[in-house]
């Protein structure tokens, strides 16, 4: 952006007045504005000031700043083109934004599967063919904008970020799903694409929904009232937090956590006095304790009595999985660390050198960094143990009480470090409700509200994993959020395309197929589309590597519905059933041209009668329908397909797209 002072004799005071025009961060050089539209341009100025906005494609609009200094104009854009300039001027100065393109602008949001960057989160969460894809990502007409993570109890008017040209360097840290979606649009349409990425891993849908909309959901009202009544306490807490020093760290890169230091020498030292620390039973997530929704750095310490015969021997130290990162010490010496993003599911197993092991009391100290969602040492108690070599039969359990001290809080991208001498975290101002990334409305307030005046073409969304424990509620919350965003952006029919969560083993307490069902039912909301991923998931990793097909399937919906491409936008979607001669005939949308079953398709189909006992079904394809039966079910009443956490797709249409999981009944599991 250039700042151009108007010609004439200007005093220094008048020159400084030139900076009275303030623009949101979403306006910068290299941005993309929605083509063939009346786009909103807005900002702040001196009250009463006349602001003129000019696009070099031949459009101009003016407005007067109101008593609060707010102004906005509707600026007409033309068809695809650029690079252009956008000038915002008052009587003193002109702000000139350069290299502006007119094209298609999409907002890309959700939780970690949308957040997952092109470079992945090594070593476990990787993007398929990442290096090759990054090196080939040279698209000058694709522009990328990432909204910085921001939590707020009230709606903000601006957010940090800047537009970047898509290059191998800029795309590496950008959302993979968003990039592949945008690349498909750009390749098919040949027009500039602007991608605005705003996501946060491990967050529920209600965090992304405005307070105004959530008030219509009965189950949210009590929490919203607590947030409202806690507003002054939250402000007090934030002032207390801001009084602490911050720890500088890089905003990106694999090594950005390895160089951080949080009183390591003291907290890992066996001689350090931890009398002021408190006790917490391990393993457990912080969110399940009095800490609540809290992100940051916590030290743990535990003294363990080692048998005399172990002295001088190498020991194996197991802690189970840690969310997200750890540095682990034994008697003050670092014995293991996992300090890159994406290792939150990795079991920690470290070797303790024999020369560190002594008879009697030994200290284990663990520094845990959590960047969002759940945090802490959270696995099975049996996974926390210490034993010589590989002699697990002699293991000492490490589960139970550990001393702990939160030492730094992560808040809006910065670590605020607390003093350790007085354990001041435990004396912090009390807040009736924790305001964090999972708090209702707090991500909408900080990351979506600031850009809602912007004119966009539509939204893509990848979220749901964090709501798998509340699938019935999601049936209300998700459509509420979609309608809310349409209201907030002022676009009643704004396209909203989303990803149905992939198969993953969530454990026996979760039935993620019911969350997929809630997403399926959300297709009843007009102008929506769902990308099914039953065939490209990974039951052992909640972050599947194949984001290329995810982006392609989202783009397919947009290309068909928004841009007139002649194609089938979705895999088969169940619509109805009929019973004939002891068999069930299943009907589907998007099945024209026939259906196909791969592998042993019957393994995914179950059929039941009135006794609600399900049997593996006999399955036959009959053109665009599926016929299912079983000799033990002469009078069938219900069929289910891929109705569990981990089943992969076996039913496809002629376009090679998978069917969504479904059931024909509404029985309680």
């Amino acid at each position: 952006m250039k700042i151009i002072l108007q010609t004439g004799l200007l005093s220094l005071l008048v020159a400084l007045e030139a900076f009275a025009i303030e623009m949101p961060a979403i306006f910068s050089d290299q941005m993309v504005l929605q083509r063939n539209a009346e786009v909103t341009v807005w900002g702040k100025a001196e009250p009463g000031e006349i602001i003129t906005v000019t696009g070099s494609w031949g459009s101009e609009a003016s407005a007067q700043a109101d008593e609060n200094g707010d102004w906005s104009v509707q600026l007409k854009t033309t068809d695809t083109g650029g690079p252009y300039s956008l000038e915002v001027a008052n009587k003193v100065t002109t702000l000139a934004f350069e290299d502006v393109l007119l094209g298609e602008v999409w907002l890309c949001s959700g939780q970690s599967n949308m957040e997952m960057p092109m470079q992945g989160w090594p070593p476990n969460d990787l993007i398929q063919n990442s290096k090759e894809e990054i090196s080939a990502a040279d698209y000058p007409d694709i522009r990328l904008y990432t909204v910085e993570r921001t939590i707020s109890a009230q709606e903000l008017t601006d957010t940090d970020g800047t537009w970047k040209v898509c290059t191998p360097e800029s795309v590496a840290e950008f959302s993979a799903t968003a990039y592949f979606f945008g690349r498909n649009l750009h390749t098919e349409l040949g027009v500039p694409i602007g991608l605005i990425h705003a996501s946060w891993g491990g967050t529920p849908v209600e965090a992304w929904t405005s307070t105004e909309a959530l008030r219509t959901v009965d189950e949210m009202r009590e929490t919203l009232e607590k947030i409202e009544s806690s507003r002054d306490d939250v402000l007090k807490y934030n002032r207390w937090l801001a009084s602490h020093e911050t720890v500088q760290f890089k905003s990106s890169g694999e090594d950005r956590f390895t160089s951080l230091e949080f009183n390591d020498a003291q907290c890992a030292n066996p001689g350090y006095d931890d009398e002021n620390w408190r006790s917490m039973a391990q393993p457990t997530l912080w969110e399940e304790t009095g800490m609540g929704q809290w992100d940051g750095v916590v030290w743990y310490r535990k003294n363990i009595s080692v048998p005399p015969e172990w002295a001088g021997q190498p020991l194996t130290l197991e802690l189970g999985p840690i969310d997200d990162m750890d540095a682990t010490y034994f008697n003050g010496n670092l014995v293991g660390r996992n300090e890159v993003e994406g290792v939150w599911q990795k079991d920690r197993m470290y070797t303790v050198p024999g020369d560190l092991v002594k008879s009697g009391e030994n200290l284990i100290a663990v520094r845990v960094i959590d960047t969002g969602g759940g945090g802490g040492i959270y696995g099975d108690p049996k996974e926390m143990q210490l034993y010589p070599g590989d002699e697990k039969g002699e293991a000492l359990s490490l589960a139970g009480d550990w001393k702990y001290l939160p030492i730094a809080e992560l808040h809006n991208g910065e670590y605020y470090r607390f003093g350790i001498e007085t354990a001041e975290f435990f004396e912090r101002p009390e807040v009736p409700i924790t305001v964090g990334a999972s708090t209702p409305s707090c991500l909408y307030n900080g990351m979506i509200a600031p850009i809602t005046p912007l004119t966009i073409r539509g939204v893509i969304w990848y979220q749901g994993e964090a709501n798998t424990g509340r699938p019935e509620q999601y049936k209300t919350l998700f459509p509420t959020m979609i309608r809310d965003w349409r209201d907030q952006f002022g676009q009643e029919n704004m396209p909203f395309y989303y990803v149905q969560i992939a198969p993953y083993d969530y454990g026996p307490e979760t039935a993620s197929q019911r969350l997929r069902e809630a997403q399926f039912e959300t297709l009843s909301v007009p102008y929506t589309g769902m990308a099914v991923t039953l065939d490209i998931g990974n039951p052992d990793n909640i972050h599947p590597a194949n984001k290329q097909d995810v982006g392609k399937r989202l783009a397919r919906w947009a290309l068909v519905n928004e841009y007139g491409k002649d194609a089938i936008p979705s895999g088969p979607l169940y619509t109805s059933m009929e019973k004939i001669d002891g068999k069930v005939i299943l009907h589907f949308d998007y099945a024209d041209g026939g259906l196909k079953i791969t592998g042993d398709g019957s393994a995914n189909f179950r059929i039941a009668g009135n006794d609600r006992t399900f049997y593996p079904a006999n399955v036959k394809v009959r053109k665009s329908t599926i016929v299912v039966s079983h000799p033990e079910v002469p009078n069938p009443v219900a069929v289910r397909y891929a109705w569990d956490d981990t089943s992969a797709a076996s039913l496809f249409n002629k376009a090679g797209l998978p069917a969504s999981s479904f059931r024909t009944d509404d029985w309680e599991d």
Side-chain angles (χ1 to χ4, degrees):
M1 178 185 71
K2 293 180 181 178
I3 301 175
I4 306 168
L5 297 179
Q6 306 298 339
T7 57
L9 296 175
L10 296 172
S11 67
L12 178 59
L13 183 61
V14 174
L16 290 175
E17 185 184 347
F19 294 94
I21 301 178
E22 298 177 13
M23 298 290 291
I26 197 71
F27 292 95
S28 75
D29 294 342
Q30 302 173 342
M31 64 183 162
V32 180
L33 295 177
Q34 179 60 42
R35 62 177 178 159
N36 296 324
E38 289 193 355
V39 301
T40 303
V41 182
W42 74 98
K44 294 188 76 68
E46 292 296 315
E49 190 86 49
I50 300 297
I51 303 297
T52 300
V53 181
T54 305
S56 65
W57 54 89
S59 185
E60 183 176 293
S62 296
Q64 186 175 30
D66 66 18
E67 65 273 15
N68 298 315
D70 296 319
W71 60 267
S72 68
V73 302
Q74 299 299 115
L75 187 69
K76 191 173 183 61
T77 58
T78 60
D79 202 356
T80 302
Y84 295 112
S85 65
L86 178 74
E87 295 185 349
V88 182
N90 61 14
K91 61 185 178 183
V92 177
T93 191
T94 298
L95 305 182
F97 300 99
E98 305 295 340
D99 192 16
V100 177
L101 301 180
L102 303 184
E104 295 297 301
V105 182
W106 287 80
L107 173 59
C108 316
S109 188
Q111 60 179 110
S112 57
N113 270 304
M114 181 62 80
E115 183 180 23
M116 192 175 179
M118 286 288 288
Q119 64 190 6
W121 293 310
N124 297 327
D125 297 337
L126 305 175
I127 298 296
Q128 181 176 281
N129 301 323
S130 176
K131 290 182 178 179
E132 295 82 359
E133 295 283 16
I134 290 173
S135 65
D138 185 13
Y139 292 97
D141 283 352
I142 297 179
R143 305 295 171 85
L144 315 173
Y145 184 99
T146 296
V147 176
E148 293 295 328
R149 285 181 167 193
T150 307
I151 299 167
S152 179
Q154 53 271 332
E155 292 185 15
L156 302 182
T157 57
D158 200 3
T159 183
D160 291 333
T162 187
W163 285 97
K164 297 180 181 179
V165 175
C166 179
T167 65
E169 291 73 28
S170 64
V171 84
E173 297 170 0
F174 193 74
S175 162
T177 294
Y179 166 71
F180 290 126
F181 168 79
R183 187 182 69 179
N184 274 275
L185 291 189
H186 179 61
T187 301
E188 289 286 338
L189 301 175
V191 304
I193 301 294
L195 301 172
I196 302 169
H197 168 227
S199 62
W200 193 316
T203 54
V205 70
E206 61 267 26
W208 296 97
T209 310
S210 75
T211 299
E212 177 185 358
L214 287 180
R215 286 198 181 104
T216 66
V217 181
D218 291 342
E219 294 166 292
M220 290 286 113
R221 287 175 186 162
E222 182 178 351
T223 301
L224 294 174
E225 289 172 2
K226 286 183 179 179
I227 295 172
E228 182 63 32
S229 64
S230 303
R231 194 174 301 278
D232 290 343
D233 295 310
V234 170
L235 291 173
K236 181 180 178 181
Y237 181 83
N238 288 342
R239 286 194 293 269
W240 174 83
L241 196 63
S243 70
H244 293 80
E245 68 170 338
T246 58
V247 176
Q248 299 301 314
F249 77 112
K250 294 187 293 184
S251 62
S252 60
E254 288 187 26
D255 62 341
R256 67 190 186 120
F257 293 101
T258 58
S259 60
L260 296 182
E261 203 279 334
F262 293 97
N263 299 87
D264 293 27
Q266 296 147 291
C267 294
N269 188 339
Y272 175 74
D273 183 1
D274 58 14
E275 182 179 351
N276 291 329
W277 294 27
R278 295 186 182 177
S279 294
M280 180 188 293
Q282 297 300 313
T284 188
L285 288 170
W286 302 340
E287 287 74 11
E288 297 171 359
T289 71
M291 291 179 63
Q293 296 177 24
W294 193 86
D295 303 320
V297 185
V298 174
W299 271 101
Y300 295 90
R301 288 165 57 97
K302 187 177 183 68
N303 286 299
I304 188 80
S305 182
V306 168
E309 59 269 23
W310 290 11
Q313 291 190 52
L315 303 181
T316 300
L317 171 61
E318 293 187 19
L319 296 171
I322 294 178
D323 192 342
D324 291 292
M325 291 164 278
D326 75 290
T328 298
Y329 295 79
F330 193 91
N331 287 333
N333 295 271
L334 183 69
V335 295
R337 66 197 314 170
N338 279 271
E339 293 182 297
V340 293
E341 293 176 284
V343 293
W344 61 280
Q345 293 174 288
K346 181 180 179 181
D347 288 336
R348 276 31 174 206
M349 179 182 291
Y350 302 129
T351 298
V352 179
D355 59 1
L356 300 181
V357 183
K358 61 181 182 180
S359 175
E361 191 172 273
N362 292 256
L363 175 76
I364 301 170
V366 184
R367 187 192 71 193
V368 176
I369 299 178
D370 174 55
T371 61
I377 304 170
Y378 70 94
D380 190 299
K382 296 178 182 178
E383 297 176 304
M384 299 185 69
Q385 54 187 341
L386 181 72
Y387 51 89
D390 58 0
E391 300 294 329
K392 286 193 175 185
E394 302 179 26
L396 295 174
S397 173
L398 301 178
D401 285 345
W402 286 59
K403 288 290 193 74
Y404 81 100
L405 180 67
I407 194 170
E409 182 169 348
L410 178 59
H411 182 74
N412 288 342
E414 294 200 271
Y415 285 97
Y416 293 86
R417 180 156 48 192
F418 312 132
I420 63 171
E421 290 77 13
T422 59
E424 64 174 305
F425 173 83
F426 299 124
E427 305 302 323
R428 68 196 188 282
E430 291 188 9
V431 181
I433 188 169
T434 304
V435 176
S438 295
T439 305
S441 300
C442 283
L443 296 186
Y444 170 83
N445 292 339
M447 299 175 68
I448 302 300
I451 60 174
T452 52
L454 191 69
T455 305
I456 62 175
R457 185 57 184 257
V459 176
I460 61 170
W461 175 261
Y462 196 162
Q463 186 276 338
E465 295 89 346
N467 288 90
T468 52
R470 296 175 285 133
E472 285 301 311
Q473 191 183 59
Y474 200 78
K475 291 181 180 181
T476 300
L477 287 174
F478 188 30
T480 296
M481 193 207 80
I482 294 172
R483 297 185 184 101
D484 179 36
W485 283 23
R486 288 172 173 169
D487 290 342
Q488 302 297 341
F489 279 94
Q491 298 177 232
E492 181 180 1
N493 299 327
M494 183 174 70
F496 195 104
Y497 302 124
Y498 57 92
V499 183
Q500 188 184 53
I501 61 173
Y504 174 68
D505 186 2
Y506 288 89
E509 301 302 316
T510 301
S512 60
Q513 66 272 21
R514 296 189 64 200
L515 193 285
R516 292 199 299 270
E517 179 181 62
Q519 293 176 314
F520 188 170
E521 292 182 8
T522 301
L523 288 171
S524 63
V525 178
Y527 307 103
T528 59
M530 182 176 73
V532 179
T533 59
L534 275 183
D535 59 328
I536 52 176
N538 181 344
D540 298 319
N541 192 330
I542 202 170
H543 301 129
N546 183 355
K547 294 295 190 284
Q548 288 89 338
D549 280 323
V550 178
K552 184 182 296 184
R553 291 173 189 179
L554 288 167
R556 194 179 185 102
W557 275 103
L559 288 167
V560 171
N561 288 352
E562 314 312 318
Y563 306 112
K565 182 179 175 64
D566 184 14
I568 298 174
S570 173
L573 298 177
Y574 167 75
T575 57
S576 63
M577 63 170 278
E578 57 179 321
K579 293 185 289 184
I580 300 176
D581 297 331
K583 297 179 175 62
V584 172
I585 316 297
L586 301 171
H587 297 269
F588 301 85
D589 279 338
Y590 307 112
D592 293 345
L595 298 171
K596 179 176 67 173
I597 289 180
T598 61
D600 181 10
S602 63
N604 274 348
F605 286 87
R606 300 287 187 270
I607 190 169
N610 286 318
D611 63 357
R612 302 191 179 188
T613 300
F614 281 90
Y615 295 85
N618 298 320
V619 182
K620 293 182 179 180
V621 175
R622 186 180 295 168
K623 296 182 180 179
S624 59
T625 63
I626 297 291
V627 182
V628 294
S629 62
H630 191 278
E632 297 293 328
V633 188
N635 183 28
V637 296
V639 175
R640 295 178 174 184
Y641 166 73
W643 195 251
D644 56 43
D645 277 341
T646 60
S647 286
S650 58
L651 176 61
F652 297 81
N653 60 14
K654 73 169 185 178
L657 298 172
S660 167
S661 55
F662 67 88
R663 59 174 173 166
T664 66
D665 63 273
D666 59 0
W667 301 337
E668 289 296 324
D669 292 328

